[in-house]
Amino acid sequence: MRALLVVNPQATSTTAAGRDVLTKALASELKLDVLQTRYRGHAAEATASAVADGVELVVALGGDGTVNEVVNGLLAAQTGTGSGPPRPDPDATAMLAVVPGGSANVFARALEMPRDPVEATGHVLSALAARRRRLVGLGHADDRWFTFNAGMGWDAEVVAAVERARAQGHEASPGRYALTAIRQYLAQLHRPPSMTVQIPGAAPLGGVRLAFVSNTDPWTYLSGRAVRTNPRSSFGSGLGLFALTGLSPRTIAATLRQMLAADGDPHGKHVVRHDAVPQVRITSDRPLALQLDGDHLGERTDVEFLSVPGALRVVV
């Protein structure tokens, strides 16, 4: 089988020696090419080119950002036509395999992949030998695919601020995320956004201050602890919507405790939740930051999020 291994050399939980071991293990069973990413978007470009050249499997070794780029490269030629949602044919493109190498690895954990990269590599090879495949649903927004979450407003502003700090050479540590989240929260209190959320079959909901869209559960991880907004979300169920209509310290503190609880079932006066929805549209009275899978895409005033079932074949 022809395969491409896409390696993020900056991945936080692997070393150069460890990556060499994984590469040799995969090359023993596959006709393997290896790409080490050098810039943002490199993984997507290389994956799209490899798929066009007939590669049958792409293995992503890195964090969720690397996985997101690979997924977008895999489906680059399958964006649909007209005004309807994209309808990719999973049999018409290469398969995906994931070896977690980042800090959170949300997508890999949702697939129940081993967290250790060496164990995950062995799992991938075993799955290939046994022909274990899984069709995974994805989210789509702003002409991009996302695998596990998206958001507008506060969380996306945090992502944007951390990306700016990383560009200046600072580490994207949990402490930096926490401090940045506090700073952005204070900014949101000073000038709260006003969003309107629309889902099929329901009246538009105005006065929304924060909105998350999830494609699986958990929504993300905080220092290894699951953050859960829509515990019934899964890759095959449609999108989950989580929104807040208030940002008072009391509301945020209570909601955050619920999101970090073992059952992760947030609720309350200012909490709005919907599960298994095919579509979410969010509009804003001013441009707000947008993030998909932790990747800041700039500012938007109108974004439509779509659930696309069975979009991708994943080796599990």
Side-chain angles (χ1 to χ4, degrees):
M1 178 180 290
R2 290 186 60 197
L4 173 68
L5 173 63
V6 178
V7 179
N8 178 1
Q10 306 301 319
T12 57
S13 62
T14 63
T15 64
R19 290 191 290 271
D20 286 344
V21 170
L22 306 183
T23 300
K24 290 177 181 177
L26 292 168
S28 69
E29 301 293 336
L30 301 165
K31 185 178 180 182
L32 189 70
D33 291 324
V34 180
L35 170 82
Q36 292 204 27
T37 59
R38 300 192 307 272
Y39 51 86
R40 182 171 177 170
H42 194 188
E45 294 172 4
T47 298
S49 177
V51 170
D53 193 42
V55 160
E56 302 163 83
L57 170 70
V58 181
V59 183
L61 171 54
D64 288 305
T66 302
V67 173
N68 178 276
E69 284 202 22
V70 167
V71 167
N72 276 277
L74 283 169
L75 300 178
Q78 301 194 48
T79 56
T81 58
S83 59
R87 300 188 183 281
D89 178 2
D91 294 325
T93 191
M95 297 180 292
L96 171 70
V98 178
V99 176
S103 54
N105 303 305
V106 181
F107 185 67
R109 291 195 199 189
L111 292 171
E112 300 182 347
M113 294 293 293
R115 295 176 61 181
D116 178 78
V118 174
E119 291 183 22
T121 301
H123 185 91
V124 168
L125 291 173
S126 173
L128 287 170
R131 302 183 63 83
R132 293 198 303 269
R133 317 282 192 267
R134 176 179 174 182
L135 281 178
V136 169
L138 299 173
H140 190 267
D142 202 56
D143 293 327
R144 285 278 299 270
W145 299 92
F146 64 96
T147 63
F148 63 94
N149 78 33
M152 285 184 71
W154 180 13
D155 72 305
E157 295 288 359
V158 172
V159 169
V162 171
E163 283 189 4
R164 290 193 294 269
R166 292 181 66 179
Q168 297 170 0
H170 299 292
E171 182 184 1
S173 64
R176 180 169 296 279
Y177 271 103
L179 182 60
T180 304
I182 293 171
R183 289 174 176 166
Q184 291 298 327
Y185 170 65
L186 295 175
Q188 299 280 316
L189 280 180
H190 177 70
R191 191 186 179 204
S194 181
M195 292 177 273
T196 298
V197 173
Q198 301 175 60
I199 62 172
L205 174 66
V208 171
R209 307 304 186 189
L210 175 151
F212 298 156
V213 178
S214 56
N215 187 51
T216 188
D217 172 71
W219 185 76
T220 190
Y221 289 87
L222 180 62
S223 296
R225 195 170 179 179
V227 180
R228 313 187 75 176
T229 60
N230 296 75
R232 288 178 288 279
S233 289
S234 69
F235 289 128
S237 67
L239 299 176
L241 168 69
F242 174 89
L244 290 179
T245 57
L247 291 178
S248 71
R250 183 175 181 178
T251 295
I252 293 298
T255 306
L256 186 58
R257 282 196 301 270
Q258 294 172 345
M259 290 167 64
L260 292 172
D263 59 355
D265 193 18
H267 57 276
K269 177 182 178 182
H270 295 288
V271 175
V272 178
R273 279 179 42 194
H274 293 277
D275 295 309
V277 296
Q279 175 183 341
V280 178
R281 183 182 180 189
I282 301 176
T283 57
S284 171
D285 60 347
R286 70 172 191 265
L288 297 176
L290 168 68
Q291 67 86 11
L292 302 182
D293 285 350
D295 186 15
H296 177 234
L297 299 188
E299 295 186 335
R300 306 287 189 272
T301 58
D302 189 341
V303 181
E304 185 175 57
F305 304 84
L306 299 171
S307 171
V308 184
L312 191 65
R313 287 182 302 158
V314 182
V315 175
V316 292

